Amino acid sequence: MPDHIADRAGLRGDCESCFGLCCVALPFAASADFAIDKQAGKPCPNLRGDHRCGIHARLRDKGFTGCTVYDCFGAGQKVSQVTFGGQDWRTGPAQDARRMFDVFPVVRQLHELLWYLTEALALPPARPVHAELRRALEKTEDLTRGTPEQLAALDVPAHRQEVNVLLLKTSELVRAGTRGRRKDRRGADLMGARLKGADLRGANLRGAYLIAADLTGADLREADMIGADLRDADLTDADLTGAFFLTQPQLNAARGSAGTRLPDSVTRPVHWTARA
């Protein structure tokens, strides 16, 4: 496994090595997350000439909460510096800019899969499938290094399905070691649910809708969090120690406190209110 993948250094956004691709390639609509409408391929009006955000320190105050939640998993620097060899979309041919914007979301999806596969390989209970996981990781990494044409033609859903089979096996192996009844809440509608202090240890929360759910003090240890929607969920004093397949964007979308216990793979969002 490449060192930059093993330690996840290459799976975290590095804005210094990117040409502001998320601020140009992606569309957004005026909503609670964004103050304005923007079409895909059109630069955000807050994007400066040096590819930096002009209101980065005030994004939430200015109505751009969605920007503070987003993470490209390192796809921005991969597309900017590897796929297009450091060619700035501002100065290169127009057709190259369009291809760059088309390829960016594809690589972002592949990098998210690399994040999950890397974590799965670090989970001791998943050792029976480590060899398969390693092959899937190497294949996914190879795909990210394809030409713009290869990436544009890639069937990402098909590859995601292949990887998902292994991630499901990983989840079953990890959660099998959790004592007690392991709740299956896969894809469950738990929007606004009152789950304060709930015992969700080892639960399957894949794709669960936990929008605005009260998870204050909940036990989420060893829970499978892949794809769980945590927008505005209250994780104050919740215990997510050992929770797996949890990403930084999920946490950034939630609310929490200094008492929220987190796995080492993620960091405490800066906007969470620290408690005295």
Side-chain angles (χ1 to χ4, degrees):
M1 190 190 314
D3 290 342
H4 72 287
I5 296 297
D7 63 10
R8 294 191 176 181
L11 300 177
R12 301 179 190 276
D14 177 8
C15 296
E16 295 295 324
S17 301
C18 178
F19 297 129
L21 295 184
C22 64
C23 304
V24 187
L26 305 179
F28 50 73
S31 61
D33 293 321
F34 297 100
I36 60 174
D37 292 320
K38 189 190 81 65
Q39 297 177 349
K42 180 180 179 180
C44 173
N46 297 311
L47 185 66
R48 303 185 317 203
D50 61 356
H51 302 298
R52 298 294 173 266
C53 176
I55 59 168
H56 186 267
R58 298 170 290 140
L59 282 168
R60 287 181 171 266
D61 294 338
K62 293 292 185 178
F64 288 87
T65 300
C67 296
T68 68
V69 172
Y70 183 80
D71 189 286
C72 73
F73 293 99
Q77 62 260 30
K78 174 68 74 62
V79 174
S80 297
Q81 303 302 329
V82 178
T83 313
F84 287 87
Q87 174 64 60
D88 189 339
W89 59 266
R90 290 185 189 271
T91 58
Q95 62 268 25
D96 282 355
R98 287 192 296 270
R99 289 195 303 168
M100 185 179 289
F101 303 152
D102 289 339
V103 162
F104 171 65
V106 174
V107 178
R108 197 268 184 190
Q109 291 184 71
L110 293 175
H111 269 233
E112 183 178 6
L113 292 178
L114 287 174
W115 178 275
Y116 295 138
L117 288 166
T118 302
E119 180 167 3
L121 281 164
L123 297 171
R127 191 169 289 110
V129 292
H130 274 188
E132 294 176 83
L133 288 165
R134 188 176 298 277
R135 286 193 293 271
L137 184 143
E138 292 172 350
K139 178 181 178 179
T140 305
E141 171 66 12
D142 286 343
L143 290 175
T144 70
R145 296 183 176 278
T147 65
E149 293 76 19
Q150 290 171 330
L151 287 164
L154 182 64
D155 187 346
V156 178
H159 181 65
R160 181 180 287 276
Q161 181 57 35
E162 291 179 15
V163 172
N164 192 47
V165 171
L166 293 175
L167 298 182
L168 282 168
K169 290 181 181 179
T170 298
S171 178
E172 292 167 0
L173 289 166
V174 174
R175 294 185 300 108
T178 304
R179 293 181 180 178
R181 182 166 174 259
R182 298 180 297 279
K183 297 179 175 63
D184 188 351
R185 295 291 187 268
R186 183 176 183 179
D189 184 351
L190 298 171
M191 291 190 289
R194 298 177 181 178
L195 296 169
K196 184 176 182 178
D199 180 5
L200 294 169
R201 185 171 185 179
N204 182 355
L205 293 170
R206 297 170 66 91
Y209 296 95
L210 289 159
I211 301 169
D214 182 3
L215 289 161
T216 303
D219 188 347
L220 292 158
R221 288 176 291 173
E222 289 86 44
D224 182 345
M225 303 297 295
I226 195 167
D229 193 335
L230 295 174
R231 282 177 293 170
D232 205 34
D234 191 348
L235 295 173
T236 298
D237 296 336
D239 189 352
L240 289 96
T241 306
F244 57 101
F245 298 151
L246 178 69
T247 66
Q248 197 64 48
Q250 286 173 293
L251 274 188
N252 291 347
R255 293 178 287 129
S257 68
T260 305
R261 282 168 282 185
L262 301 172
D264 294 336
S265 59
V266 292
T267 59
R268 195 174 308 276
V270 296
H271 63 274
W272 282 13
T273 302
R275 299 178 63 180

